[in-house]
Amino acid sequence: MKKILVTLSIIITCSGLFAQKYTISGYIKDKSTGEELIGANIVVVETKTGTTTNTYGFYTISIPAGTYQVSFSFIGYTEITKTINLKSNQTINIELESSAYITEEVVVSSEKKSNIQDSKMSVVKLPVETVKALPAFMGEVDILKTIQLLPGVQSSGEGNSGFYVRGGGPDQNLILLDEATIYNAAHLFGFFSVFNADAIKDMELYKGGMPAEYGGRVSSVMDISMNNGNMKEFHAQGGIGTIASRLTVEGPIQKDKSSFLLSARRTYIDVLVKPFVKDSSPFKGSGYHFYDLNAKLNYRFSDKDRLFLSAYYGEDVFDFKSTEANFGMSIPWGNGMASLRWNHLFSDKFFSNTTLVASDYKFRTEIKMEDPEDENGGFQFIQSSGIRDYYLKQDFTWIPNPKHTVKFGANYIYHIFTPNSVSAKFGDIVYDDTEGRKQYAHEAAIYLGDDYKINDKLTIYAGVRGSAFMQVGKFTRYVKDDLLIQNIDTIYYEKGEKVAFYKSFEPRASLKFSLNSNSSIKASFMQNKQYVHLASLSASTLPTDLWVPCSDVVKPQGGRQYAVGYFRNFFNDHFETSVELYYKDLFNLIEYADGALPGDDVGDNADNYFIFGNGNSYGLELFIKKRTGQFTGWIGYTLSKTDRFFDAIDNGATFPAKYDRRHDLSVTATYKINEKWTASAVFVYATGNTTTLPIGRYMIDGDLVNEYGTRNSYRMDPYHRLDISVTWINKKTDRWESSWNFSVYNVYNRKNPYFIYFENEGSIADGSFVSKAKQVSLFPVLPSVTWNFKF
């Protein structure tokens, strides 16, 4: 027996020696700027195993002792292959050099067939360079408008940057900028997004299969990373466009150790028009503008510790003045955020990220009426709303071996909601209920996820997220009668007292099964809960929309999505294709009750005017992308149906959602003519939006009364449009680059429907009365010119 035990001990010891593995880890960066490269590929040639860099450019891979050829690559960069004699753990930092030309070989090797090999599905990574190459509305490069060209993503209307993902509403998309939530991602009532492309490094959109580290929304996540700033040299870039100009400055504070980035953008129509408005004009002082400011600092203490400080502030300001009426109105609204992140490397297999965030969105309407003859000085009225978050997040990544990537962590958010609050001043009389109207809530979550490569064919991701939400006082609940007219009771909650509590268990799972080296089948499931909601009277997001918390009246929104897809590459990976099927259930959706108007909830609870229901959406998505060569682009097509059913609408009958579209087609194309000229085009076609129109009009006691059809029973004409652009690089040296972009929006001047209204003509008395439906279209053919520079 003793001999057997000794023999087993020797076998186990020898097996351990033969199985001894070591780790290669480090950061992959851009050689010229020091920027970390997200999603760069590391491949061990002999074992055909590999990994990719994370959001901070860090990678780690463990392999047995030996000598290996290891390749490091990223799209648009020259690949590096190193011979590594692995006898111990090694830290290898790599700097890749940007290619002058993106050759087919570089693109193919760098992408590593990630669309086929990854367990992720329904995920899109969109390089900023791709966004900048496409035609831009009014010359303003827009990330949000570009993602609307992808299958499964729909726009909310003509020129609008709001978007809907697989039948979900605009509030069901979690938009993150350096891990801070952006609650209103649009300028000019939705026509431009708040993201200045010059300050953005990377964007990733999850339409489904959301990993466990993301939560709080039931439809999608759009995770946007800002540039860190050049650690090597000082540089600047910018542009002067049709309606706005922008400037970005970046450079090292201490070379290869710390850097900064400052980026600004502003419209200037108000500035250009101002000199031409006469002092005698009754509207002198009126105008509109928006601006964005981005800033970032980062400091590298060592290869194990890194600190990032990001900030953003953007605001729209609309002013209207009438000197004749002694009337003035100002409407500012905007987002602000600050994000502090600390990356720490405990070991070459264990990585952490600690994040502190403050995020704020606010909307304000201020009205002043002055009376020179009134000794009180006139009247001032202010209405405001918004949401403010304070956020703490701790994330860990553990990679024990190339087969496992484990992520786990926790987060906590303190919400402060400001529903419609009013203050007023008339002489010495002051009324202000702003503080009394605020609502407070705590939200927390923990998560765990593991991406496990079982073998070369099968990879499984399994994750779970547990979340909880509690609304607390100080809060006053106004209990209404069934007609929402009279208060029948009032309940007071003291500071910190529980108003409502909810918790949720949210499983996530996905798998990939490779059929061969060029194709795979994937499937995913996700279940989410959402505790904050956007109450809107419009089909698209507007600054007047209210963010409200779950309460004793409002239950959490829920989402459950199933998806399956087939992914295949053709012609030596030059073409990427996919077919995805999805089905989504949505629960506890909110709408304003019929007849509700903005301001009805002043001095009341906003949720007293909500109704609740459910919905579902299902569809087919097709995607074909040409990735290489002078001619690149993609075709995306979605066949889908989205329904809603509310007990309080048409007696619970099913009706199509406002943004239900049976067909949605997008075609993009970019052609690099030569080193100086690049041409691009975009064509979109979509089934028309639904709306509710009168089916009859009657005279009752001298008043014209409309009889409306069922909810969203009328469908407007289809939407289609062609945009083209040409970019000319008129000067390019080692230190200076100058280019002109010429774009045409809506080339063939399609009059796409925006909304429909009725115009009455004639007289009822003589029988000549006629009511005609008329269509309003926003944008005709719109040319634009932008001059871009870089030095």
Side-chain angles (χ1 to χ4, degrees):
M1 184 67 178
K2 185 175 181 181
K3 290 182 179 180
I4 294 174
L5 292 174
V6 171
T7 303
L8 286 174
S9 177
I10 292 171
I11 291 173
I12 292 171
T13 302
C14 291
S15 298
L17 290 173
F18 284 118
Q20 179 69 50
K21 290 186 176 182
Y22 297 106
T23 300
I24 304 170
S25 63
Y27 293 86
I28 299 184
K29 308 167 190 174
D30 182 303
K31 185 175 182 178
S32 62
T33 66
E35 283 273 356
E36 285 75 16
L37 299 178
I38 302 172
N41 296 297
I42 301 90
V43 177
V44 181
V45 177
E46 288 78 5
T47 63
K48 296 183 180 179
T49 57
T51 187
T52 59
T53 54
N54 67 8
T55 308
Y56 303 96
F58 177 76
Y59 76 93
T60 178
I61 186 169
S62 298
I63 51 179
T67 301
Y68 299 95
Q69 296 288 311
V70 181
S71 69
F72 304 87
S73 60
F74 189 68
I75 185 170
Y77 287 76
T78 302
E79 183 175 334
I80 291 178
T81 300
K82 283 184 171 290
T83 300
I84 298 174
N85 186 12
L86 195 60
K87 296 180 179 179
S88 61
N89 295 335
Q90 294 189 30
T91 298
I92 301 177
N93 296 323
I94 298 294
E95 292 189 336
L96 296 180
E97 189 170 3
S98 178
S99 300
Y101 305 97
I102 303 177
T103 64
E104 297 183 0
E105 291 75 14
V106 169
V107 173
V108 172
S109 63
S110 68
E111 290 204 6
K112 203 199 67 167
K113 300 182 179 180
S114 60
N115 62 307
I116 294 173
Q117 296 180 358
D118 286 351
S119 62
K120 295 178 182 178
M121 69 174 296
S122 308
V123 180
V124 179
K125 293 195 72 169
L126 197 62
V128 173
E129 291 75 15
T130 300
V131 179
K132 291 182 176 182
L134 296 176
F137 175 65
M138 298 295 288
E140 286 301 300
V141 174
D142 197 320
I143 292 175
L144 297 189
K145 284 192 177 65
T146 304
I147 68 167
Q148 295 169 8
L149 303 174
L150 300 169
V153 185
Q154 299 173 347
S155 70
S156 59
E158 172 76 276
N160 205 298
S161 62
F163 62 99
Y164 304 91
V165 178
R166 291 183 171 177
D171 67 322
Q172 295 172 353
N173 305 314
L174 177 63
I175 302 176
L176 300 173
L177 179 63
D178 275 1
E179 301 198 37
T181 302
I182 302 297
Y183 281 97
N184 187 318
H187 287 303
L188 191 57
F189 304 102
F191 292 111
F192 301 98
S193 82
V194 301
F195 303 112
N196 181 353
D198 289 346
I200 301 303
K201 175 166 65 174
D202 183 80
M203 188 282 293
E204 193 167 32
L205 174 70
Y206 291 86
K207 300 182 292 181
M210 193 185 297
E213 59 262 34
Y214 296 112
R217 300 295 186 274
V218 298
S219 278
S220 75
V221 174
M222 189 167 72
D223 197 350
I224 301 172
S225 301
M226 287 172 53
N227 285 319
N228 293 328
N230 195 312
M231 280 202 171
K232 305 287 187 179
E233 299 176 319
F234 289 95
H235 285 279
Q237 63 175 314
I240 300 174
T242 307
I243 67 166
S245 291
R246 63 192 192 281
L247 177 65
T248 300
V249 181
E250 59 182 328
I253 299 173
Q254 184 178 353
K255 190 173 181 180
D256 292 325
K257 197 171 185 68
S258 59
S259 65
F260 75 93
L261 178 140
L262 293 173
S263 185
R265 176 177 63 161
R266 192 193 192 280
T267 56
Y268 41 67
I269 295 298
D270 58 324
V271 178
L272 297 178
V273 170
K274 187 175 181 179
F276 301 98
V277 179
K278 296 181 180 180
D279 292 339
S280 58
S281 171
F283 303 111
K284 184 175 178 61
S286 299
Y288 167 83
H289 70 274
F290 72 74
Y291 63 90
D292 296 303
L293 297 171
N294 294 78
K296 192 166 185 178
L297 298 172
N298 83 89
Y299 187 84
R300 182 184 294 121
F301 294 94
S302 67
D303 282 343
K304 290 184 177 293
D305 291 283
R306 183 86 174 265
L307 198 66
F308 301 87
L309 176 62
S310 308
Y312 166 80
Y313 188 79
E315 188 176 47
D316 293 63
V317 180
F318 172 74
D319 293 308
F320 175 80
K321 292 184 179 180
S322 174
T323 54
E324 291 182 348
N326 294 316
F327 173 84
M329 179 172 64
S330 178
I331 308 178
W333 69 93
N335 297 278
M337 77 83 174
S339 170
L340 179 65
R341 291 173 294 161
W342 170 43
N343 297 161
H344 178 66
L345 193 64
F346 290 97
S347 71
D348 47 22
K349 296 181 180 181
F350 194 31
F351 182 89
S352 79
N353 184 57
T354 306
T355 305
L356 291 171
V357 172
S359 176
D360 184 62
Y361 168 69
K362 57 187 177 183
F363 172 82
R364 178 184 173 98
T365 301
E366 183 174 350
I367 298 173
K368 292 182 179 180
M369 299 186 67
E370 300 177 355
D371 186 352
E373 298 180 0
D374 187 348
E375 61 181 12
N376 291 317
F379 173 76
Q380 182 180 15
F381 172 85
I382 298 174
Q383 183 177 357
S384 59
S385 63
I387 178 173
R388 178 175 293 178
D389 290 345
Y390 298 99
Y391 192 113
L392 172 63
K393 188 166 182 272
Q394 181 64 62
D395 300 296
F396 297 98
T397 300
W398 177 46
I399 307 176
N401 56 59
K403 292 182 178 292
H404 282 279
T405 299
V406 180
K407 294 185 178 182
F408 60 96
N411 65 64
Y412 164 77
I413 308 173
Y414 179 55
H415 298 285
I416 303 175
F417 299 84
T418 306
N420 274 328
S421 300
V422 170
S423 63
K425 182 179 180 181
F426 181 71
D428 295 331
I429 302 174
V430 178
Y431 170 79
D432 190 347
D433 76 336
T434 303
E435 289 300 319
R437 296 277 293 152
K438 288 183 178 179
Q439 294 175 252
Y440 307 90
H442 304 279
E443 182 176 351
I446 58 174
Y447 72 88
L448 170 66
D450 183 13
D451 197 32
Y452 176 37
K453 183 178 180 180
I454 297 175
N455 53 45
D456 288 340
K457 286 186 174 294
L458 183 61
T459 302
I460 294 177
Y461 173 83
V464 63
R465 184 180 181 89
S467 62
F469 182 92
M470 183 168 66
Q471 184 194 358
V472 297
K474 196 172 183 180
F475 176 67
T476 303
R477 164 61 63 195
Y478 300 98
V479 183
K480 312 290 286 189
D481 60 20
D482 292 339
L483 298 177
L484 302 179
I485 296 175
Q486 298 291 331
N487 288 339
I488 59 175
D489 195 9
T490 303
I491 304 172
Y492 298 97
Y493 295 89
E494 296 299 325
K495 182 178 181 180
E497 184 180 357
K498 183 181 74 174
V499 178
F501 176 79
Y502 301 97
K503 58 184 178 180
S504 176
F505 177 75
E506 305 170 25
R508 320 282 174 83
S510 62
L511 66 86
K512 178 273 302 181
F513 182 78
S514 297
L515 301 175
N516 52 50
S517 62
N518 293 317
S519 62
S520 64
I521 296 173
K522 300 182 184 183
S524 68
F525 168 79
M526 71 176 188
Q527 181 170 297
N528 300 52
K529 280 292 175 69
Q530 179 171 330
Y531 300 107
V532 297
H533 320 274
L534 186 67
S536 176
L537 287 168
S538 169
S540 59
T541 55
L542 292 174
T544 52
D545 297 341
L546 292 180
W547 286 97
V548 295
C550 283
S551 65
D552 52 333
V553 173
V554 180
K555 304 298 187 290
Q557 291 186 60
R560 188 179 298 123
Q561 183 178 200
Y562 310 84
V564 62
Y566 174 68
F567 300 78
R568 181 176 176 83
N569 288 1
F570 292 92
F571 304 111
N572 196 27
D573 296 323
H574 298 334
F575 284 85
E576 170 187 323
T577 66
S578 65
V579 180
E580 293 190 44
L581 293 166
Y582 70 88
Y583 180 86
K584 179 190 290 184
D585 281 316
L586 296 168
F587 311 100
N588 297 327
L589 305 176
I590 70 171
E591 297 274 359
Y592 271 108
D594 286 339
L597 296 172
D600 281 351
D601 57 338
V602 173
D604 203 340
N605 302 126
D607 53 22
N608 281 333
Y609 297 87
F610 297 160
I611 57 175
F612 307 94
N614 301 321
N616 58 47
S617 180
Y618 50 92
L620 164 73
E621 298 172 3
L622 304 176
F623 187 63
I624 303 172
K625 178 182 180 182
K626 187 176 186 297
R627 307 190 300 185
T628 63
Q630 286 181 283
F631 181 81
T632 58
W634 70 78
I635 300 173
Y637 171 74
T638 305
L639 173 68
S640 64
K641 183 172 175 57
T642 303
D643 288 326
R644 297 287 185 262
F645 26 94
F646 285 66
D647 290 340
I649 298 177
D650 296 334
N651 297 314
T654 300
F655 62 91
K658 174 71 179 178
Y659 33 87
D660 169 56
R661 294 179 188 161
R662 201 68 65 246
H663 306 283
D664 202 310
L665 172 70
S666 300
V667 181
T668 75
T670 300
Y671 182 66
K672 187 176 179 63
I673 302 170
N674 53 43
E675 293 183 26
K676 288 185 173 292
W677 290 92
T678 301
S680 63
V682 170
F683 174 77
V684 294
Y685 173 91
T687 303
N689 281 345
T690 62
T691 189
T692 308
L693 296 180
I695 58 174
R697 315 190 85 181
Y698 308 97
M699 289 296 298
I700 300 178
D701 297 329
D703 295 324
L704 186 64
V705 178
N706 294 320
E707 178 189 356
Y708 284 90
T710 56
R711 178 68 67 99
N712 293 340
S713 56
Y714 179 82
R715 192 173 291 277
M716 291 190 284
D717 289 341
Y719 180 98
H720 52 89
R721 189 189 79 242
L722 173 67
D723 306 332
I724 60 173
S725 75
V726 176
T727 299
W728 172 47
I729 301 176
N730 65 314
K731 187 174 183 179
K732 187 173 184 179
T733 66
D734 291 340
R735 302 296 300 174
W736 172 264
E737 181 177 320
S738 172
S739 66
W740 290 87
N741 178 268
F742 307 91
S743 295
V744 181
Y745 180 88
N746 195 7
V747 171
Y748 52 84
N749 199 27
R750 163 72 175 174
K751 291 180 173 57
N752 286 301
Y754 190 65
F755 65 85
I756 293 174
Y757 72 99
F758 285 84
E759 188 174 87
N760 301 327
E761 298 177 358
S763 170
I764 296 177
D766 60 13
S768 63
F769 177 83
V770 176
S771 183
K772 294 182 179 180
K774 295 195 173 184
Q775 173 184 297
V776 173
S777 300
L778 285 185
F779 300 117
V781 54
L782 287 175
S784 62
V785 179
T786 303
W787 175 58
N788 297 303
F789 59 87
K790 186 185 297 185
F791 60 89

